[in-house]
Amino acid sequence: MSRRLVNLTLDTLEDLPRPCRQCVYWELDPVSAERACASGDPGLDKEAWVSQTLLEWGSCGKLVYVDGMPAGFVMYAPPAYVPRSMAFPTSPVSADAALLTTAKVVPAFAGGGLGRMLVQGVARDLTKRGVKAIEAFGDAKPDEEKEGACVAPVDFFLSVGFKTVRPHPRYPRLRLELRTALSWKSDVEYALEKLLGSMSPEKLLRPMPATSSMEN
């Protein structure tokens, strides 16, 4: 099983799940987003947002492919590029952080560590660009029946290393410090995932039991 992480571009944008490809929940303010969905083509608005963000700021998303199939993606940008960010009760995002807006793994590929792989890819990118942290708004009460939910579950962020910095019963704000996100162990896990596909890095990194030949 091969895994490949690539940047979001206007070409790879077409590989997003269709509901996400047409969604402008984060890219427009609430009123504009509702208007776009009701009377326009939100897919064009999303494409325009991605194009502008790429030109002005740079990479704003990652996609992961498994055996050539799109299996998940994340999107991120400075909060100034994300009008929806100010609509949350736990806003604003910290001045030293980029905002991770959307994170999604296709259900058929869930449970294989792709979410962590995506977040680590974002962390590597932002670290090179001098960003100190990633923040995100999580949903503490996600609707499991709602496909294409725009706010990722709190549990997802906690599972990949985020910590709550502003609690809220529904939409807490979470933060991942990039100086700790790229630990030696996480980089080894990423390398092992690339080399060994679906094999578990945790199992491979587990210390071997001591034997008499190893004892002093």
Side-chain angles (χ1 to χ4, degrees):
M1 181 182 293
S2 66
R3 301 180 179 189
R4 182 168 58 98
L5 197 66
V6 305
N7 289 332
L8 177 70
T9 65
L10 293 179
D11 293 327
T12 57
L13 179 63
E14 301 307 318
D15 285 340
L16 266 58
R18 182 162 181 79
C20 301
R21 172 63 180 86
Q22 298 296 114
C23 178
V24 288
Y25 177 87
W26 291 102
E27 292 81 3
L28 301 177
D29 65 81
V31 174
S32 299
E34 185 175 349
R35 185 183 303 123
C37 293
S39 60
D41 184 348
L44 290 178
D45 290 294
K46 193 178 192 84
E47 182 175 333
W49 183 89
V50 170
S51 178
Q52 179 183 4
T53 305
L54 285 171
L55 286 171
E56 296 179 358
W57 185 66
S59 179
C60 58
K62 301 283 184 186
L63 290 89
V64 62
Y65 295 81
V66 175
D67 292 339
M69 298 288 294
F73 75 98
V74 291
M75 295 182 69
Y76 53 98
Y81 283 77
V82 188
R84 174 73 65 166
S85 67
M86 293 305 298
F88 284 83
T90 50
S91 65
V93 174
S94 302
D96 64 348
L99 177 63
L100 195 156
T101 57
T102 308
K104 185 175 181 63
V105 174
V106 175
F109 297 99
L114 297 182
R116 179 176 293 274
M117 183 178 177
L118 285 162
V119 171
Q120 288 177 359
V122 175
R124 275 187 289 274
D125 176 35
L126 293 179
T127 297
K128 293 175 184 176
R129 295 157 73 176
V131 178
K132 301 298 184 184
I134 310 170
E135 292 192 358
F137 298 104
D139 191 345
K141 301 177 182 179
D143 184 351
E144 300 297 338
E145 302 301 320
K146 183 180 178 183
E147 280 193 42
C150 299
V151 184
V154 168
D155 288 348
F156 166 76
F157 291 116
L158 295 175
S159 73
V160 295
F162 282 72
K163 306 295 183 185
T164 301
V165 291
R166 189 167 178 191
H168 186 270
R170 182 64 190 267
Y171 295 117
R173 179 159 49 90
L174 303 101
R175 181 178 174 96
L176 179 66
E177 300 288 347
L178 294 186
R179 67 175 180 269
T180 59
L182 297 177
S183 66
W184 177 86
K185 183 174 182 292
S186 67
D187 279 346
V188 170
E189 287 179 345
Y190 177 72
L192 289 171
E193 284 185 343
K194 289 184 66 177
L195 290 170
L196 302 169
S198 60
M199 292 184 68
S200 167
E202 289 77 8
K203 291 180 180 178
L204 292 166
L205 291 170
R206 187 174 300 151
M208 294 182 65
T211 65
S212 56
S213 63
M214 297 171 62
E215 295 174 353
N216 293 329

